[in-house]
Amino acid sequence: MTYSPFRHIPSILWKRSPIHLTFFLTRRCNSRCPFCFYLSKKKNPPPYAKGGNTPLTPLDRGELSPPLEKGDIGGFFNKTSSELSLDEIEKISSSLGSLLWLAFSGGEIFLRDDIVEITKIFYERNKPAIILFPTNGLLTDVIGEKIEAVLNYCKKSTIVVKLSLEGMEELHDSIRGTRGSFQKTMQTYNALRELLEMYPNFDLGVNTVFNSENQGHMDELIGFVNGLDGIRTHTVSLIRGKVSDQRLKDIDVGKYQETINRMALNSKNKVSSIYRFKGARLKAAQDILQRRLIHETIVKKKQVIPCYAGRLNLVITESGDVYPCESFNMKMGSVRKDSYDLNKILKSEQAQDIIRSIRSKGCYCTHECYMMTNILFNPVLYPALMKEYMQL
């Protein structure tokens, strides 16, 4: 028996408690990605910045850094003392109900040595149907060991690992600023692929950040990923947030539309695979509709469907700050200041003001994770969702 995602159907009507949690485990990282919205806000300039004022992509710079080893944060200004401890995480977990989706984020999440223990806490207390582990794939041995430990323990949850690939080898290494990054990620892919036959609750996928550097190479990358044995899904995340190199956000909306149209066609023609978990076809249909709504959001520059951030979605940072989503200008509170009680934070006037602002369409974004919830729990969109579902 697994933790079924369908037990959250009542949240379609009663959007009163978070069922989708994004937990930023750490700010530590062993890569130097110029599109990272989470680390680029810090005062210290990233290693590829010239004089700290003129961000350069590795393509401009003409040189790449060697892969960083475990524990080397690559100059990314991270003090582990601010990270929530296991005891603190257990208190936070106790104030949450059951979860549909638990997504870890960072930084590179596998730089936390206790990631398995953290996962076990949420698994036991919150019973997430799906647990997502995004990674740059540089720590092959660590990732393989930790994921197998999670799979052995969390047998009722679907465990999803998303490996980052920004292009073929030369382009990927250049965008990420790390020599050998592509090959290391492929080594991790090969190691994780061996686990697929052993663990039916394991799904392996790829994520690509769509930006100005790789937008002209998406066809090649999509074809490559489709040919990888065992890869069940390829998601494309539109670059977002405050990044260190703003030129990466100078995307061609037409090229983004071409990319999502090809991905939709590949799914419908069964060129691309879909997840293995229950309801996977529905999730694939939602992905197609989601990308179309993201394109509409880019064009119209406004909120095109109601957003449930703060009601069904919640974000917690590694130091305990609480937000409705990854727009880090809407802080709802801090678990360390509020006795690790998320319910208390969500009922506060500060949090309620933020939720009211979101409901009145006071903001908009293109973040895929929140679009997912906004589609699956909005009955108005079900006819469009069912249309895509029937075509798969």
Side-chain angles (χ1 to χ4, degrees):
M1 181 180 294
T2 59
Y3 294 147
S4 171
F6 298 107
R7 62 205 161 106
H8 295 283
I9 286 176
S11 292
I12 294 171
L13 296 176
W14 307 103
K15 300 174 177 66
R16 294 177 177 173
S17 59
I19 59 172
H20 178 179
L21 175 65
T22 301
F23 183 15
F24 283 78
L25 292 178
T26 182
R27 281 189 179 272
R28 287 176 284 159
C29 197
N30 55 352
S31 189
R32 297 177 166 95
C33 306
F35 53 72
C36 181
F37 65 90
Y38 196 55
L39 302 182
S40 63
K41 298 191 305 174
K42 287 295 186 176
K43 294 179 180 178
N44 302 47
Y48 49 81
K50 184 178 181 180
N53 296 314
T54 308
L56 299 177
T57 68
L59 282 172
D60 297 323
R61 196 180 65 213
E63 59 180 37
L64 302 178
S65 301
L68 301 174
E69 299 301 324
K70 183 175 182 292
D72 181 352
I73 60 175
F76 267 136
F77 29 77
N78 307 291
K79 293 184 179 179
T80 59
S81 60
S82 68
E83 294 176 359
L84 292 163
S85 67
L86 285 176
D87 287 342
E88 290 177 302
I89 291 170
E90 191 160 6
K91 292 175 185 176
I92 295 167
S93 174
S94 297
S95 70
L96 275 169
S98 65
L99 293 173
L100 166 64
W101 188 281
L102 170 63
F104 293 124
S105 193
E108 171 51 47
I109 62 174
F110 287 97
L111 287 174
R112 278 208 65 153
D113 293 331
D114 55 359
I115 190 171
V116 175
E117 289 70 28
I118 293 171
T119 306
K120 287 179 178 180
I121 290 172
F122 284 107
Y123 177 76
E124 290 291 345
R125 294 184 176 273
N126 309 112
K127 302 175 172 56
I130 300 169
I131 309 177
L132 174 64
F133 296 82
T135 175
N136 59 32
L138 297 184
L139 301 172
T140 299
D141 293 341
V142 173
I143 295 168
E145 174 191 338
K146 301 293 187 184
I147 287 298
E148 186 161 19
V150 167
L151 287 166
N152 277 315
Y153 192 87
C154 306
K155 296 181 178 180
K156 294 182 180 180
S157 295
T158 295
I159 307 302
V160 180
V161 173
K162 284 287 183 72
L163 298 170
S164 297
L165 281 180
E166 313 311 335
M168 300 307 294
E169 185 168 2
E170 183 178 352
L171 180 59
H172 174 88
D173 287 3
S174 181
I175 289 175
R176 287 193 163 261
T178 307
R179 185 185 298 111
S181 175
F182 182 90
Q183 288 299 328
K184 276 192 168 287
T185 301
M186 294 309 297
Q187 289 172 19
T188 303
Y189 152 70
N190 285 316
L192 294 176
R193 182 178 57 172
E194 296 179 1
L195 302 176
L196 288 169
E197 293 184 5
M198 301 165 57
Y199 300 95
N201 64 323
F202 181 41
D203 263 302
L204 183 58
V206 166
N207 184 70
T208 300
V209 177
F210 187 96
N211 61 76
S212 64
E213 291 293 331
N214 64 9
Q215 62 183 353
H217 304 272
M218 294 304 298
D219 279 356
E220 182 183 20
L221 180 61
I222 290 170
F224 174 76
V225 173
N226 283 339
L228 293 176
D229 181 46
I231 294 295
R232 307 301 301 182
T233 181
H234 183 193
T235 51
V236 173
S237 300
L238 187 65
I239 187 171
R240 64 182 184 274
K242 297 178 180 178
V243 299
S244 58
D245 187 350
Q246 288 296 317
R247 292 176 301 174
L248 292 173
K249 298 185 75 174
D250 294 334
I251 65 161
D252 183 329
V253 177
K255 289 182 178 179
Y256 177 75
Q257 187 173 30
E258 290 173 4
T259 296
I260 66 174
N261 287 345
R262 173 173 178 179
M263 297 182 78
L265 191 62
N266 283 350
S267 294
K268 293 173 183 179
N269 291 338
K270 295 182 171 54
V271 175
S272 302
S273 300
I274 62 173
Y275 292 110
R276 297 194 292 179
F277 58 76
K278 290 181 180 179
R281 192 156 68 121
L282 182 64
K283 178 67 175 70
Q286 173 262 309
D287 283 341
I288 294 171
L289 180 57
Q290 166 186 289
R291 291 190 289 260
R292 199 158 63 233
L293 289 169
I294 287 172
H295 177 264
E296 185 179 350
T297 302
I298 302 169
V299 172
K300 294 184 177 179
K301 293 182 171 56
K302 68 176 184 178
Q303 192 180 120
V304 297
I305 59 173
C307 180
Y308 305 134
R311 289 183 285 165
L312 294 182
N313 305 304
L314 208 61
V315 169
I316 302 175
T317 69
E318 77 289 335
S319 57
D321 291 337
V322 180
Y323 298 88
C325 63
E326 291 176 10
S327 296
F328 294 107
N329 58 350
M330 296 189 288
K331 185 175 176 178
M332 302 171 86
S334 167
V335 293
R336 282 174 167 160
K337 294 180 180 178
D338 290 292
S339 305
Y340 304 95
D341 188 344
L342 289 172
N343 290 314
K344 180 180 177 182
I345 292 173
L346 292 174
K347 290 178 182 178
S348 69
E349 190 61 33
Q350 180 176 341
Q352 288 300 309
D353 284 345
I354 290 171
I355 291 172
R356 281 191 288 269
S357 171
I358 295 171
R359 294 183 73 167
S360 65
K361 299 187 177 181
C363 60
Y364 72 92
C365 75
T366 62
H367 192 276
E368 288 76 8
C369 286
Y370 308 109
M371 279 284 188
M372 175 188 72
T373 314
N374 296 341
I375 292 170
L376 293 178
F377 290 85
N378 186 348
V380 174
L381 294 173
Y382 288 175
L385 185 62
M386 286 302 103
K387 179 180 178 181
E388 300 298 340
Y389 179 84
M390 296 304 295
Q391 292 178 13
L392 287 173

